[in-house]
Amino acid sequence: MSNYSFLDDYSEGAHPQILQALTATNAVQQAPYGEDAYSHKAKARIRSHLVNPDCSIFFVASGTLANIVMIGSFLRPHEAVIAAASGHIVVRETGAIEAIGHKIITVPPVNGKLTPDSIRAALEANAHFPHMAKPRLVYVSNATEIGTIYSKAELQAISILCRERDLILFLDGARLGAALAGRQNDLTLADIGLLTDAFWIGGTKVGALLGEAIVISNPSLAKDFAFHIKQRGGLLAKGRILALQFHELFGPENLFFNLARHSTAMAEKLAAGIVKAGYQLAANTETNQIFPILPNALIESLNKFFAFYVWEKRDELSSVIRLVTSWATEEAQVDRLVEAINSWTVSAANVQPTTPLS
């Protein structure tokens, strides 16, 4: 890739410590299908951050696979998912949940998030049984699709409602590392384990080659879960590869949290530079995603040197772009991007026609 990438947080391969661990253990023979020593040790390290020592932990290769296997396992055929209309499973997974036979009931997001009121509204609007799919699982992601995060109070309120209404609370943690590293965050992994029935921890977006860790706190949901992983093609013969990466991420160096902190620090600096240059953000920068509203001419200029997504058209002259920082983002490249924005802005101001004096 010729231009420096702010497309995502997985453009790089893996953190060197993970590669070193994979290389150092490469010739060590291990049991297959997740029964290896590294899997047991990695699970123990993750459990050390949780309150429930009996939670079930599984490793899969990707986030979409985690969502498919978990939702497909937890729900009966007539049961549906409640999700924000902007939720990842709604807009970025090619209808994967619908493809396994489950309706997604969408509600308008509030700053990217679900609220107890929006969940209650969905329940009321989908209660004509048996003529409507039965709402059974509430899907949230932390961070959200626009990079915002749930506070502890917000997640507690949703958790209480789910337990009152016999709903499964499921949290997509693709960018959970960035969410936990956010300056405004007051949640811990232990909190999430207590407040949800199941969640997963993203490794792909925080320095792993690939892989996500599924955590099931509700024992009724864990029964026969391994069969669902196998049936969906998610049980790797070389499960050691996934587990060893989480063994390193959750080791004594706290690599998972430190890498996430770097990504959010770079995002904060980039967002501050963009705002200082005179541009607004479409969403608060709470994690490692930045959504500036920029003139289309500036976007065209930046595209010559940087890679990023044009997220949505704002009007005829401007659009929202998405910039994502990663565990490996170079601070010099953040400075370079901010300087490019400043230079274009000054240049554009200097060529604006002046109004003739009357």
Side-chain angles (χ1 to χ4, degrees):
M1 186 175 292
S2 58
N3 294 354
Y4 193 83
S5 177
F6 289 95
L7 274 173
D8 51 53
D9 34 16
Y10 42 91
S11 288
E12 297 86 6
H15 188 272
Q17 185 174 322
I18 289 176
L19 293 178
Q20 183 179 9
L22 289 167
T23 300
T25 61
N26 187 54
V28 178
Q29 293 183 328
Q30 288 287 316
Y33 302 114
E35 296 301 325
D36 57 281
Y38 310 128
S39 290
H40 295 301
K41 291 177 181 178
K43 292 176 184 180
R45 285 186 168 181
I46 293 173
R47 285 193 181 99
S48 71
H49 292 270
L50 303 171
V51 175
N52 179 6
D54 298 321
C55 63
S56 299
I57 299 175
F58 306 86
F59 300 107
V60 295
S62 76
T64 299
L65 184 57
N67 287 336
I68 290 172
V69 175
M70 294 173 79
I71 293 173
S73 168
F74 298 161
L75 298 186
R76 298 181 67 188
H78 62 283
E79 293 177 331
V81 179
I82 297 173
S86 58
H88 194 77
I89 59 171
V90 179
V91 298
R92 293 288 185 271
E93 289 191 342
T94 325
I97 303 306
E98 293 94 331
I100 60 172
H102 295 288
K103 179 181 177 64
I104 301 179
I105 300 165
T106 60
V107 299
V110 178
N111 201 24
K113 296 178 276 190
L114 284 182
T115 67
D117 285 345
S118 65
I119 295 168
R120 289 189 191 96
L123 293 173
E124 291 171 6
N126 292 270
H128 188 202
F129 302 146
H131 307 287
M132 305 177 85
K134 180 182 179 182
R136 179 73 171 102
L137 183 145
V138 171
Y139 167 93
V140 299
S141 64
N142 201 34
T144 70
E145 199 68 5
I146 60 170
T148 52
I149 62 174
Y150 285 86
S151 68
K152 185 174 181 178
E154 288 173 330
L155 195 60
Q156 281 177 328
I158 293 173
S159 179
I160 290 169
L161 174 61
C162 287
R163 288 170 185 176
E164 288 175 350
R165 303 296 293 268
D166 192 28
L167 300 171
I168 298 165
L169 180 53
F170 166 72
L171 187 144
D172 176 326
R175 290 191 170 94
L176 186 53
L180 296 175
R183 190 182 298 274
Q184 297 162 310
N185 173 64
D186 63 351
L187 280 166
T188 65
L189 272 179
D191 293 328
I192 292 169
L194 288 172
L195 295 173
T196 68
D197 292 287
F199 69 100
W200 56 273
I201 305 167
T204 300
K205 295 180 171 70
V206 67
L209 275 174
L210 75 164
E212 332 295 348
I214 293 171
V215 181
I216 303 177
S217 301
N218 185 335
S220 68
L221 300 178
K223 184 180 179 181
D224 290 343
F225 187 78
F227 290 90
H228 290 268
I229 294 179
K230 176 66 175 180
Q231 196 172 67
R232 298 287 181 187
L235 185 61
L236 299 186
K238 297 182 180 180
R240 59 185 286 166
I241 293 174
L242 300 176
L244 187 59
Q245 296 181 78
F246 278 91
H247 183 263
E248 294 303 309
L249 286 173
F250 284 89
E253 300 90 349
N254 287 318
L255 195 62
F256 177 82
F257 299 99
N258 289 333
L259 295 181
R261 288 189 193 101
H262 174 80
S263 68
T264 56
M266 292 298 97
E268 286 181 358
K269 181 172 185 178
L270 182 52
I274 292 169
V275 171
K276 188 175 180 180
Y279 300 103
Q280 294 182 328
L281 304 178
N284 293 334
T285 302
E286 298 179 6
T287 51
N288 65 328
Q289 298 185 78
I290 309 104
F291 294 88
I293 306 168
L294 302 179
N296 291 333
L298 172 54
I299 293 171
E300 184 178 352
S301 176
L302 294 176
N303 260 325
K304 298 174 184 176
F305 307 102
F306 303 96
F308 51 83
Y309 284 113
V310 177
W311 201 246
E312 64 183 21
K313 180 179 177 181
R314 180 52 62 103
D315 53 42
E316 292 303 318
L317 298 177
S318 63
S319 301
V320 179
I321 68 169
R322 187 187 78 161
L323 303 166
V324 185
T325 53
S326 83
W327 61 273
T329 295
E330 300 169 16
E331 190 168 7
Q333 293 292 346
V334 170
D335 294 336
R336 178 171 165 253
L337 176 52
V338 171
E339 177 57 31
I341 292 171
N342 281 316
S343 296
W344 184 92
T345 304
V346 170
S347 177
N350 288 337
V351 299
Q352 292 299 317
T354 58
T355 302
L357 295 174
S358 56

